[in-house]
Amino acid sequence: AGAIAVQYAAGAGARGIATARPGAATDFVRELGVDHVVDHTADLDGQVREIAPEGVPAIIHLAGDVVQLAGLLAAGGKMSTTLGFAGDQPDGVIAVNADPSTDILARLAAGAARDLHVPITRTYALADAPQALTDFTTGNLGKLAITI
């Protein structure tokens, strides 16, 4: 989801900061069009504040600590999360769920027509679907596909 979200944001002209481990993961994210990549295993707050001292206006939360990330929002900023949150909802955080309405799908399709790249890093035969699921849980860059 992050690889697609990054491309949609960049295509809409957004200036982006993504999180990734140093090395191949950072290179992978940069190739998708992100302006800045920070190491989520290091001082995340410090790295983001170095780029955006007043905080960021918007966050798409697909991984990581929702409370920590909410603390990086600028005054009045908004954050959408697909993961939800436990306890009190931080200010500006909105939980989102899939909404496959005709309007949403049409807008996504229009965006996809703008050179959206789905980075498939490995393809499996249907008989190898159990291995694909195992590999998915180990954390891969890009998408895994199963052919039918």
Side-chain angles (χ1 to χ4, degrees), residues 68-117:
Q68 178 185 25
L69 293 174
L72 294 170
L73 284 170
K78 300 290 183 200
M79 180 167 93
S80 65
T81 176
T82 60
L83 303 178
F85 39 84
D88 294 333
Q89 179 176 333
D91 288 339
V93 176
I94 303 163
V96 295
N97 294 307
D99 177 17
S101 68
T102 302
D103 180 55
I104 297 286
L105 293 174
R107 287 190 297 165
L108 290 172
R114 311 184 289 234
D115 297 323
L116 185 66
H117 170 68

Side-chain angles (χ1 to χ4, degrees), residues 32-104:
L32 296 173
V34 169
D35 298 296
H36 304 279
V37 182
V38 295
D39 178 1
H40 64 84
T41 65
D43 177 15
L44 183 63
D45 292 3
Q47 293 172 84
V48 171
R49 293 289 181 184
E50 187 174 313
I51 298 163
E54 302 299 318
V56 295
I59 295 173
I60 300 171
H61 174 237
L62 304 171
D65 181 344
V66 67
V67 175
Q68 178 185 25
L69 293 174
L72 294 170
L73 284 170
K78 300 290 183 200
M79 180 167 93
S80 65
T81 176
T82 60
L83 303 178
F85 39 84
D88 294 333
Q89 179 176 333
D91 288 339
V93 176
I94 303 163
V96 295
N97 294 307
D99 177 17
S101 68
T102 302
D103 180 55
I104 297 286

